[in-house]
Amino acid sequence: MPPLRTALLQSSGRPGSVAENIQVIDEAAGRAAAAGARLLVCPELFLTGYAIGDDVPRLAEPADGTSARAVADIAVRHGLAVLYGYPERADELIFNAAQLIGPDGTRLANYRKTHLFGCFEQQWFTPGDQPVVQAEVDGVRIGIMICYDVEFPENVRAHALAATDLLLVPTAQMHPFQFVAESVVPVRAFESQMYVAYVNRTGPEGEFEFVGLSCLAGPDGTVRTRAGRGEELVVGDVDPEFLSASRAANPYLHDRRPGLYGSLV
């Protein structure tokens, strides 16, 4: 199976303007496709912006709403899958969500953030209750989390046990927590033997300062590609053959003793 070339869009887009952010996705998808990518990953709440305060209810959309159709059109025109973060409206509830659209425009998966970070998120969003959401792109089993979720090792291990190959983590990682991007994410990839694409916002936005440092970490704990602090599109390969060999050489999952871990839950 050939590697899945994956593009990471590090950007804060245009907070408050869904139309402009869809244009940013379109332009990035064109550049990603030109670089041979079959998957484009955008940051947390990219569709609307993160620090939008009271605009959350106004800008929230259903999973099959207008913006989902616009992103599907982008995916089809450029021939690649797209993952984007957005506020999802479902009846009276609003979720911090991320949706994966396939290269043919099909909605492949929709994930709702399970661990809400800070007062802002807890005020506006309802936590999701499905920890493992997966789909497949070009034979690679993809899982989805959002930002704070990846900082809980139990979350990532659940994906490892469900045979996730590539974990997509759109994020809004802010100062002073850059050590998560620098250290925690590569360790998560190694200890659970998977690729992890961690895709951040960048620069000041409201009361927040996003640190960038998006990365694609491999199952050997090394970073395949890393963005700096500014707006950037970086590309890296997810290699199924390397992943298979790494899992054989690092038998964490095989050597687990679940009977000893009952007190953890």
Side-chain angles (χ1 to χ4, degrees), residues 2 6-7 12 24 38 54 67 75 85 94 104 115 133-134 179 196 199 222 228-229 252 264:
T6 302
S12 286
V24 174
R38 287 281 291 165
D54 294 349
S67 294
I94 300 175
D104 63 353
H115 296 74
V133 172
Q134 295 172 309
F179 66 88
V196 179
V199 187
T222 65
R229 295 298 186 106
Y252 282 125
L264 296 178

Side-chain angles (χ1 to χ4, degrees), residues 198-213:
Y198 188 79
V199 187
N200 201 9
R201 305 178 70 81
T202 182
E205 187 179 333
E207 63 184 286
F208 307 107
E209 177 73 30
F210 298 114
V211 300
L213 301 175

Side-chain angles (χ1 to χ4, degrees), residues 211-234:
V211 300
L213 301 175
S214 300
C215 67
L216 176 65
D220 57 353
T222 65
V223 172
R224 298 300 196 271
T225 187
R226 166 85 72 186
R229 295 298 186 106
E231 296 214 352
E232 194 171 349
L233 182 76
V234 296

Side-chain angles (χ1 to χ4, degrees), residues 1-6 136-142 163-166 193-195 216 218-219 224 236-248:
M1 187 186 303
L4 175 65
R5 182 153 292 180
T6 302
E136 190 171 295
V137 173
D138 291 358
V140 174
R141 184 171 295 181
I142 289 175
T164 292
D165 299 319
L166 168 60
Q193 287 299 293
M194 64 178 64
Y195 285 87
L216 176 65
R224 298 300 196 271
D237 286 338
V238 172
D239 186 344
E241 290 187 7
F242 181 84
L243 177 59
S244 179
S246 181
R247 285 171 170 170

Side-chain angles (χ1 to χ4, degrees), residues 19-223:
E20 289 186 77
N21 290 328
I22 288 175
Q23 290 179 357
V24 174
I25 294 174
D26 194 2
E27 187 273 338
R31 286 192 288 144
R38 287 281 291 165
L39 171 63
L40 171 67
V41 187
C42 305
E44 181 176 4
L45 292 174
F46 188 75
L47 199 62
T48 60
Y50 185 89
I52 56 175
D54 294 349
D55 277 342
V56 169
R58 180 177 67 85
L59 296 176
E61 296 186 24
D64 60 353
T66 302
S67 294
R69 293 190 293 273
V71 175
D73 177 68
I74 291 169
V76 170
R77 283 191 289 105
H78 296 291
L80 79 176
V82 179
L83 179 98
Y84 66 98
Y86 73 109
E88 178 196 356
R89 179 178 296 283
D91 297 322
E92 300 302 314
L93 301 179
I94 300 175
F95 299 92
N96 183 337
Q99 183 153 232
L100 178 64
I101 306 289
D104 63 353
T106 301
R107 294 190 300 117
L108 297 179
N110 189 68
Y111 171 79
R112 296 165 173 175
K113 190 173 185 177
T114 55
H115 296 74
L116 301 179
F117 178 80
C119 296
F120 165 70
E121 292 188 19
Q122 292 169 12
Q123 176 184 357
W124 290 110
F125 300 110
T126 297
D129 58 8
Q130 188 173 353
V132 177
V133 172
Q134 295 172 309
E136 190 171 295
V137 173
D138 291 358
V140 174
R141 184 171 295 181
I142 289 175
I144 307 169
M145 283 186 185
I146 299 175
C147 197
Y148 194 38
D149 290 331
V150 80
E151 297 175 39
F152 294 81
E154 302 91 341
N155 258 14
V156 183
R157 182 51 54 86
H159 271 274
L161 295 175
T164 292
D165 299 319
L166 168 60
L167 184 62
L168 306 182
V169 189
T171 190
Q173 184 63 66
M174 58 198 70
H175 178 80
F177 304 110
Q178 50 265 33
F179 66 88
V180 174
E182 294 170 336
S183 301
V184 173
V185 169
V187 169
R188 289 285 178 272
F190 177 67
E191 68 189 6
S192 282
Q193 287 299 293
M194 64 178 64
Y195 285 87
V196 179
Y198 188 79
V199 187
N200 201 9
R201 305 178 70 81
T202 182
E205 187 179 333
E207 63 184 286
F208 307 107
E209 177 73 30
F210 298 114
V211 300
L213 301 175
S214 300
C215 67
L216 176 65
D220 57 353
T222 65
V223 172

